[in-house]
Amino acid sequence: MMLRSLLSFSLVAVATAGVAQNPAADADRAAMMRALGITALIPGANGDPKAPDAASTDEATANPYPLPDALRTTDGRPVRTAAQWRDVQRPAIAAIYEREVYGRVPADLPPVRWHVDASDAETIGFGRAVTARRLIGEVADPRPGMPPVRLRMLVVLPARATAKVPVLMMFGPAAFPAPSQPTADESERIDAALKALLAERDPALKPIFARHQAHMLAGPAAPRRFDPTPSVPEQIIAAGWGYAMIDPLSAQADDGSGLRSGIIGLANGGAPRRPDQWGALRAWAWAASRGFDWLATDPAVDATRIGIEGVSRYGKAALVTMAFDPRFAVALLGSSGKGGTTPLRRHFGEEVGNLATGEYHWMAGNFLKYDTKGVSPPQLDASALPVDANGLIALCAPRPVYVSYGIPAAGDAPWLDQRGSWMATVDASRVYRLLGASGVADGDYRNMPMPAVLEARDAGELAWRQHDGGHTDAPNIPHFLTWADRVLKRVR
């Protein structure tokens, strides 16, 4: 670790050591560094285990710093009651996360005006009828020159539900799952109309169509192949839930060069961010909250049982969403790593330097300060962060949260630090217990053995399961849905 601390990024060469070069993003990061008085950053660890600067996977050196005590105030007072947590400690932790880690959302953002762009009656899986609607949320800036932001969301609900249905919102493209296709008769009519219009525009096409009468410009779609493994959407619908796909990239690009556009750019009128302003993770969470606004108006949706889900970087965004929007009832967090459920203080796998350099646009500018120890003022590292993943999970309490990981052998890399996430989840359990809910374990997070792979710790509102798949939460979806119905007291 000492060897790595001697390496640094200068303002000129900030993107040259293990970070993909992007001139616009590099310039934006360099400007933020100047605003903070930072002259260099420590490069992140390398995900290649054979590289000289490979990420550490040594448990003997993994815990140089203890986790901040989520049940002790910054002035050292213990938090012993639910009222203290609600009125004092929770707001304090949330404020630190806003200022130092994820950034603040501007209070004066223009409203989002949703409209249904398209609707379709579809069939998912083996005969499960659904109604799918694609929505567009327009965010128009009254100032001239800034293009509007157009949020995209797809809402899919069971077609034959007899009561309001819970909905799991997921981060991903808002694409129709199984677009309905014209019948053979309808395809023939469309084909005839197309050929007539084209021949009218270009008469030379008429003899071509005559020579190839069997060729159809608009024919029936090829039949879908049967897949015996139910997809995630099919499992959700089969359980009596609906789902919504909120497209995070419709709100904010996943790139530092996009910080002067999207919703962050719109909020600033195209100007650069201030150090305490939001990054992409908070922007994606904001988009999910605006999607919730619309879902809560749909009479077919049970607005008291809307959940949020994400994997990897979107697992981080799902946790941020759950932590800052108390309306979400439940969360499924897949393989979220650092910036999500894994402690930033752990020297294992991904490091603070990876987030501060290659993925700095996810975070507030102030986060860069914690990657300067030994190379630049203000000489801070992860040990100076007054909050960590245990506190972020605790911000969700007592609402139900399901933490999901896979295994390295199947592709859920050690980089994600599954054990570190387990430790943070164990420590967050203390807050759940204080609030009258149940955690995953009772004891010291530093000495608590991890559950075996496939062993679910899901008796209470905070749950954990490591499946035997890779970088996905799909194997945990059926377990999550059963658990969610139980903790949300829903009868199928």
Side-chain angles (χ1 to χ4, degrees):
M1 192 167 183
M2 181 63 68
L3 176 62
R4 287 188 59 252
S5 70
L6 297 177
L7 302 173
S8 66
F9 286 131
S10 70
L11 283 171
V12 176
V14 70
T16 63
V19 180
Q21 295 193 40
N22 181 324
D26 297 344
D28 186 87
R29 181 177 45 235
M32 181 63 73
M33 291 170 66
R34 285 192 293 270
L36 292 165
I38 295 172
T39 58
L41 294 171
I42 303 167
N46 196 317
D48 181 357
K50 297 179 181 179
D53 58 343
S56 174
T57 55
D58 184 357
E59 280 293 340
T61 59
N63 300 300
Y65 318 118
L67 292 175
D69 190 344
L71 291 179
R72 190 167 293 276
T73 64
T74 53
D75 59 3
R77 291 176 293 136
V79 177
R80 294 196 173 99
T81 68
Q84 279 182 289
W85 172 261
R86 181 186 65 246
D87 299 336
V88 178
Q89 186 69 341
R90 190 188 187 283
I93 292 175
I96 294 170
Y97 264 109
E98 287 197 299
R99 184 182 69 247
E100 301 295 311
V101 183
Y102 298 115
R104 296 188 174 102
V105 177
D108 57 350
L109 287 172
V112 178
R113 305 190 185 281
W114 289 101
H115 69 271
V116 177
D117 179 61
S119 181
D120 197 18
E122 302 186 8
T123 301
I124 290 180
F126 191 68
R128 300 193 184 279
V130 297
T131 300
R133 287 168 290 175
R134 184 176 62 208
L135 292 106
I136 302 296
E138 296 273 358
V139 189
D141 191 339
R143 295 167 293 190
M146 285 302 298
V149 172
R150 301 178 79 241
L151 303 179
R152 295 187 296 271
M153 182 170 69
L154 184 81
V155 178
V156 181
L157 302 179
R160 303 187 183 98
T162 57
K164 292 186 175 185
V165 297
V167 170
L168 183 62
M169 183 183 292
M170 302 184 286
F171 287 104
F176 283 100
S180 59
Q181 304 296 332
T183 65
D185 288 344
E186 290 169 338
S187 294
E188 289 180 4
R189 291 188 62 185
I190 295 170
D191 184 73
L194 281 173
K195 288 175 177 175
L197 286 171
L198 290 171
E200 181 180 352
R201 182 167 183 174
D202 183 356
L205 290 173
K206 190 171 183 178
I208 296 175
F209 294 151
R211 287 196 301 271
H212 306 286
Q213 295 180 25
H215 174 71
M216 294 184 68
L217 301 181
R224 296 188 181 93
R225 291 189 299 176
F226 174 70
D227 185 350
T229 304
S231 65
V232 168
E234 185 179 356
Q235 292 181 64
I236 293 172
I237 296 298
W241 286 61
Y243 70 91
M245 300 298 303
I246 187 78
D247 185 350
L249 303 185
S250 67
Q252 189 63 44
D254 187 13
D255 192 299
S257 61
L259 288 170
R260 299 200 188 187
S261 57
I263 192 62
I264 293 175
L266 184 146
N268 287 335
R273 295 185 301 166
R274 297 190 304 273
D276 66 340
Q277 286 187 317
W278 53 343
L281 290 176
R282 197 78 198 274
W284 298 340
W286 169 86
S289 292
R290 302 292 71 78
F292 189 110
D293 294 343
W294 187 89
L295 287 171
T297 69
D298 187 338
V301 171
D302 182 351
T304 67
R305 294 185 175 95
I306 297 176
I308 185 70
E309 180 272 352
V311 175
S312 195
R313 65 194 62 198
Y314 298 146
K316 306 178 203 292
L319 177 52
V320 173
T321 303
M322 187 74 169
F324 284 99
D325 191 336
R327 299 175 301 169
F328 282 92
V330 66
L332 172 58
L333 312 174
S335 301
S336 58
K338 279 186 168 61
T341 60
T342 296
L344 293 162
R345 292 178 175 227
R346 282 262 293 177
H347 175 48
F348 192 104
E350 189 176 22
E351 300 278 359
V352 166
N354 295 97
L355 300 180
T357 56
E359 314 297 350
Y360 86 101
H361 60 280
W362 290 348
M363 321 300 282
N366 277 331
F367 185 77
L368 303 186
K369 297 183 300 184
Y370 301 95
D371 190 40
T372 59
K373 187 69 171 286
V375 298
S376 169
Q379 298 289 339
L380 300 176
D381 62 12
S383 67
L385 274 166
V387 291
D388 212 330
N390 58 326
L392 187 62
I393 298 169
L395 290 182
C396 306
R399 291 167 295 148
V401 168
Y402 197 106
V403 180
S404 168
Y405 278 86
I407 59 173
D412 210 39
W415 177 263
L416 296 163
D417 188 10
Q418 291 88 348
R419 173 161 180 75
S421 180
W422 166 248
M423 294 167 71
T425 307
V426 168
D427 198 59
S429 297
R430 299 163 57 228
V431 177
Y432 274 78
R433 288 194 296 273
L434 178 71
L435 301 181
S438 297
V440 294
D442 186 2
D444 188 337
Y445 72 89
R446 290 165 291 194
N447 305 315
M448 187 64 60
M450 277 185 71
V453 175
L454 304 183
E455 178 190 349
R457 295 291 181 89
D458 61 359
E461 286 79 6
L462 186 54
W464 165 277
R465 186 175 187 269
Q466 186 178 16
H467 59 76
D468 58 1
H471 196 53
T472 175
D473 62 8
N476 272 342
I477 287 289
H479 303 275
F480 164 78
L481 291 169
T482 299
W483 167 84
D485 281 343
R486 185 179 77 247
V487 294
L488 295 178
K489 298 178 172 59
R490 173 180 175 261
V491 179
R492 290 194 186 185

